[in-house]
């Protein structure tokens, strides 16, 4: 499975913070926002990832993340010249996807919960068409909404309905087979001129090939499109990391525990950040090695989602 990390847009709701800086490079407590969705793709076992950003910020992401080799990844970059909708990512990334399945994640989303890595892997392994991830919210009218039947199977989808028939929001994480490219090519733009991801999902649903994985109790999903939500996300990460001594969205840790890099490589990355808590954490992780791997376990990886 290939990965696409969509980090475009103009971040208008976060201005003046985003006047010259991409939203997805803003700090969420102690690391750039983009680390959190990148870690999700890594937890799903995805190592070939296309980062899509605006022309003004592509070099910033390249300077931050490089070619991915330090993390055992392959990272490529592409530009979304205008914010023309999430589904445009499949047109921009058509060559990257090729004949493979693909997971798309939005660059301003945080997912965290015990067993998340296993859920990602099983969902990817069972993929037949389209897999969405649903999360209960108190304000579903702000999101795409999933309606379930009596057997809790996906029955309908609605984009920001005035009167939602469900409280299950469709999150910013999606998995598709390669036919998503053709579906994106056939899309008719909305009144705003955008290619809507909900239209893609509805097309799969009409084919009987759209499925929903529910993120219920024990999971946290946060998007960071406003000043308040950005602050709340940082406070959540701060509280959990300080109380439990873990790291959320630590891409180096995920790479090490998934076997993408060695203990020696992890240790080097920590030394490069010498004098910081983040660097010390990586050094300790590498030195403790086997004990930490047995404690965390790649089957759930609750420390790093």
């Amino acid at each position: 499975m290939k990965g696409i990390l969509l980090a475009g847009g103009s971040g208008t709701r976060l201005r003046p913070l985003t006047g010259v800086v991409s939203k997805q490079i803003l700090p969420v407590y102690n690391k750039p926002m983009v680390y959190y969705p990148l870690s999700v793709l890594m937890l799903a076992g995805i190592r070939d990832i296309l980062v899509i950003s605006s022309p003004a910020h592509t070099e910033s992401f390249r300077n931050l993340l490089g070619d991915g080799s330090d993390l055992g990844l392959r990272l490529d970059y592409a530009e979304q010249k205008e914010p023309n909708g999430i589904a445009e990512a499949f047109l921009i990334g058509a060559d990257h996807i090729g004949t493979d399945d693909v997971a798309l994640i939005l660059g301003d989303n945080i997912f965290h919960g015990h067993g998340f890595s296993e859920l990602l892997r099983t969902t990817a392994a069972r993929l037949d068409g389209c897999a969405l991830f649903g999360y209960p919210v108190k304000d579903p009218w702000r999101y795409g909404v999933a309606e379930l039947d009596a057997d809790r199977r996906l029955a309908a989808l609605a984009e920001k309905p005035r009167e939602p028939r469900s409280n299950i929001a469709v999150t910013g994480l999606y998995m598709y087979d390669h036919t998503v490219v053709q579906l994106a090519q056939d899309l008719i733009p909305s009144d705003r001129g955008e290619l809507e991801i909900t239209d893609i999902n509805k097309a799969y649903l009409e084919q009987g090939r759209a499925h929903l994985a529910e993120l219920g109790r024990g999971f946290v999903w946060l998007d960071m499109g406003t000043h308040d939500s950005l602050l709340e996300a940082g406070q959540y990460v701060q509280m959990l990391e300080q109380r439990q001594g873990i790291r959320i969205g630590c891409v180096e840790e995920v790479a090490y525990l998934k076997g993408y890099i060695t203990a020696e490589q992890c240790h080097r990355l920590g030394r490069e950040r010498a004098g910081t808590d983040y660097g010390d954490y990586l050094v300790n992780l590498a030195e403790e090695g086997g004990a930490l791997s047995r404690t965390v376990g790649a089957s759930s990886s609750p420390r790093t989602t």
Side-chain angles (χ1 to χ4, degrees):
M1 178 176 281
K2 301 287 184 62
I4 294 180
L5 198 164
L6 183 56
S10 53
T12 53
R13 291 183 295 167
L14 282 170
R15 288 179 180 170
L17 292 177
T18 52
V20 294
V21 178
S22 168
K23 172 176 67 173
Q24 291 85 3
I25 294 180
L26 292 175
V28 179
Y29 184 45
N30 55 5
K31 59 190 77 72
M33 185 187 297
V34 70
Y35 275 31
Y36 298 91
L38 178 58
S39 71
V40 171
L41 295 179
M42 294 170 67
L43 284 169
I46 298 170
R47 302 176 68 175
D48 192 349
I49 299 168
L50 179 67
V51 179
I52 299 177
S53 64
S54 64
H57 301 307
T58 300
E59 282 307 303
S60 296
F61 285 101
R62 198 187 303 273
N63 291 335
L64 175 66
L65 301 172
D67 63 3
S69 57
D70 280 349
L71 300 173
L73 308 176
R74 174 179 172 176
L75 297 181
D76 292 303
Y77 298 86
E79 296 179 353
Q80 185 181 38
K81 299 188 183 305
E82 300 289 341
N84 294 324
I86 296 172
E88 188 182 34
F90 303 117
L91 303 183
I92 297 170
D95 290 341
H96 171 73
I97 297 168
T99 58
D100 292 311
D101 296 338
V102 62
L104 169 68
I105 191 167
L106 304 187
D108 61 354
N109 277 218
I110 289 179
F111 293 84
H112 179 249
H114 181 76
F116 188 42
S117 182
E118 180 64 23
L119 175 63
L120 291 171
R121 286 200 304 274
T122 56
T123 301
R126 298 171 182 170
L127 183 67
D128 176 22
C130 162
L132 310 176
F133 293 80
Y135 186 80
V137 296
K138 65 178 181 180
D139 49 357
W141 56 86
R142 295 180 52 222
Y143 306 95
V145 173
E147 299 175 20
L148 306 181
D149 63 18
D151 296 318
R152 302 203 68 78
R153 293 185 298 237
L154 185 61
L157 293 163
E159 179 63 22
K160 297 180 180 179
R162 292 184 178 181
E163 297 182 2
R165 299 178 61 181
S166 161
N167 71 332
I168 301 176
V170 177
T171 69
L173 173 63
Y174 318 84
M175 292 182 179
Y176 302 96
D177 67 12
H178 71 277
T179 64
V180 69
V181 174
Q182 184 61 54
L183 290 173
Q185 292 171 346
D186 294 340
L187 278 185
I188 299 174
S190 68
D191 294 340
R192 297 180 297 175
E194 296 183 357
L195 299 179
E196 300 286 356
I197 193 70
T198 299
D199 291 338
I200 292 274
N201 299 335
K202 285 181 176 179
Y204 276 103
L205 185 60
E206 289 172 1
Q207 297 173 8
R209 298 196 306 134
H211 311 277
L212 186 78
E214 293 187 72
L215 305 175
R217 289 180 179 269
F219 280 93
V220 171
W221 168 57
L222 304 168
D223 64 354
M224 295 162 284
T226 67
H227 294 98
D228 285 343
S229 60
L230 179 62
L231 177 62
E232 290 166 0
Q235 291 173 331
Y236 174 79
V237 174
Q238 178 192 37
M239 181 272 294
L240 210 61
E241 291 195 356
Q242 289 188 352
R243 290 198 175 195
Q244 297 188 3
I246 62 170
R247 291 292 184 271
I248 300 173
C250 178
V251 292
E252 298 88 353
E253 180 181 15
V254 178
Y256 174 52
L257 295 178
K258 296 287 288 184
Y260 301 164
I261 61 175
T262 65
E264 290 76 17
Q265 290 171 305
C266 183
H267 199 278
R268 175 180 57 80
L269 292 173
R271 293 198 311 271
E272 290 174 358
R273 295 154 179 78
T276 67
D277 289 342
Y278 196 92
D280 293 343
Y281 182 81
L282 295 178
V283 168
N284 291 336
L285 175 70
E287 290 180 347
E288 294 177 15
L292 269 176
S293 297
R294 289 191 297 272
T295 301
V296 178
S299 63
S300 60
S301 297
R303 299 163 57 95
T304 52
T305 50

